[in-house]
Amino acid sequence: MAERSPATRRTLWFVLTLVFAFLYIPIAVLVALSFNEGGLPTAWSGFSLKWYVSLANNSAILSAALNTLIVALVSTAIATLLGTLLAIGVEMRRQYGRGLEALIFAPMIIPDIVLAIALLSFFSMLNLTMGLHTIILAHVVFNLAFVCSVVRARLKSFDWSIAEASADLGASAITTFRRVTLPVILPAVIAGALLAFTLSVDEFIIAFFTSGAGRASTTLPMQIYAMIRFGITPEINALATIVMAVSIIALTLSQRLNRGIIGQ
């Protein structure tokens, strides 16, 4: 491969710098203004943590945070279990067509608005009362494909003859899974769970369409949307900063685990 000239490298670095600036300067401004003492979202008047204290005393935000945590934890647990079992079942089969691949990964490809309308129609057809339970079910559908893809990436390098040898030695299917398969895929399962948790915390469109009326089923993204319609305040910046920090931590942990999976 021909070596790039210094002028070409400088141009590429300049373009790369512009792209990263476009992506991350608005986020940096949001974080900085969340510590702004004044009430104006665009004028800096001094450092203060009062907007974070205000969040802690806001009952609507605390209720939305609790709902988000419940939805994220429950949907992550269910999606991780089902996604892991689906990945094992598909990889054990070893021969599968493109149709099955399309069915598994459809929720990842379909636009959120289309999936949200489809789930809303399905729940309405079943006469289900909308609430946290319908948001949880919707997030399970959304997250299952992501968990499955992460676990399958680890299973691609798994030697199934080890599991077969365990069965030949008299171990039951449950014992083989617990003592042989699970220790190998556990990092991928945790990485998939962290990814599902992050997606569930951040998700707005599907939750908006499948939630019920009132505060009882309002999640944090929905609460932020309701607040921002009346203007951006430092309190919204503080709330967005906290949500972003949680997402970054979970994604960082997931990526570290994924690197370990790829390296094995």
Side-chain angles (χ1 to χ4, degrees), residues 2-3 9 27 39 73 76 127 133 145 149 152 186 202 253 264:
E3 186 178 353
R9 288 199 296 268
I27 296 176
L73 290 176
T76 295
N127 293 322
H133 58 288
S149 64
R152 283 185 66 191
L186 186 58
D202 290 342
L253 292 174
Q264 291 178 357

Side-chain angles (χ1 to χ4, degrees), residues 7-251:
T8 301
R9 288 199 296 268
R10 285 195 295 269
T11 302
L12 291 174
W13 276 110
F14 177 72
V15 173
L16 183 63
T17 302
L18 287 180
V19 171
F20 276 104
F22 178 78
L23 289 174
Y24 293 108
I25 286 180
I27 296 176
V29 171
L30 180 145
V31 174
L33 290 177
S34 70
F35 299 99
N36 186 16
E37 185 177 6
L40 296 176
T42 56
W44 180 263
S45 58
F47 181 86
S48 176
L49 294 174
K50 71 177 185 178
W51 301 111
Y52 290 90
V53 176
S54 177
L55 288 179
N57 297 323
N58 190 317
S59 60
I61 291 176
L62 292 178
S63 176
L66 178 60
N67 290 339
T68 299
L69 189 61
I70 293 173
V71 169
L73 290 176
V74 176
S75 65
T76 295
I78 298 174
T80 300
L81 175 62
L82 296 180
T84 300
L85 294 177
L86 177 61
I88 294 174
V90 170
E91 290 301 320
M92 284 184 66
R93 186 177 178 184
R94 298 182 186 178
Q95 293 182 351
Y96 41 82
R98 294 181 179 179
L100 180 60
E101 290 277 356
L103 287 175
I104 292 174
F105 296 110
M108 299 172 61
I109 302 170
I110 296 175
D112 287 355
I113 186 69
V114 176
L115 183 59
I117 294 173
L119 289 168
L120 175 61
S121 301
F122 179 71
F123 293 149
S124 299
M125 183 179 66
L126 296 179
N127 293 322
L128 285 178
T129 303
M130 299 296 176
L132 282 184
H133 58 288
T134 51
I135 300 178
I136 291 172
L137 291 175
H139 280 199
V140 169
V141 173
F142 177 72
N143 287 328
L144 193 148
F146 290 93
V147 176
C148 180
S149 64
V150 174
V151 177
R152 283 185 66 191
R154 180 67 186 96
L155 287 171
K156 290 291 184 182
S157 60
F158 180 68
D159 186 0
W160 290 101
S161 62
I162 301 176
E164 294 171 358
S166 174
D168 291 340
L169 292 173
S172 64
I174 296 178
T175 301
T176 299
F177 174 76
R178 182 172 57 87
R179 302 288 295 273
V180 178
T181 310
L182 183 58
V184 175
I185 66 172
L186 186 58
V189 174
I190 296 175
L194 289 171
L195 178 60
F197 180 83
T198 302
L199 293 171
S200 185
V201 168
D202 290 342
E203 205 286 317
F204 167 73
I205 297 177
I206 295 176
F208 182 80
F209 274 78
T210 57
S211 64
R215 185 184 297 182
S217 59
T218 299
T219 61
L220 263 181
M222 294 169 61
Q223 182 65 30
I224 293 174
Y225 175 75
M227 294 169 63
I228 207 170
R229 287 188 300 173
F230 301 100
I232 300 175
T233 66
E235 190 175 35
I236 295 177
N237 292 336
L239 180 57
T241 300
I242 293 174
V243 173
M244 182 179 63
V246 172
S247 301
I248 289 175
I249 292 172
L251 280 175

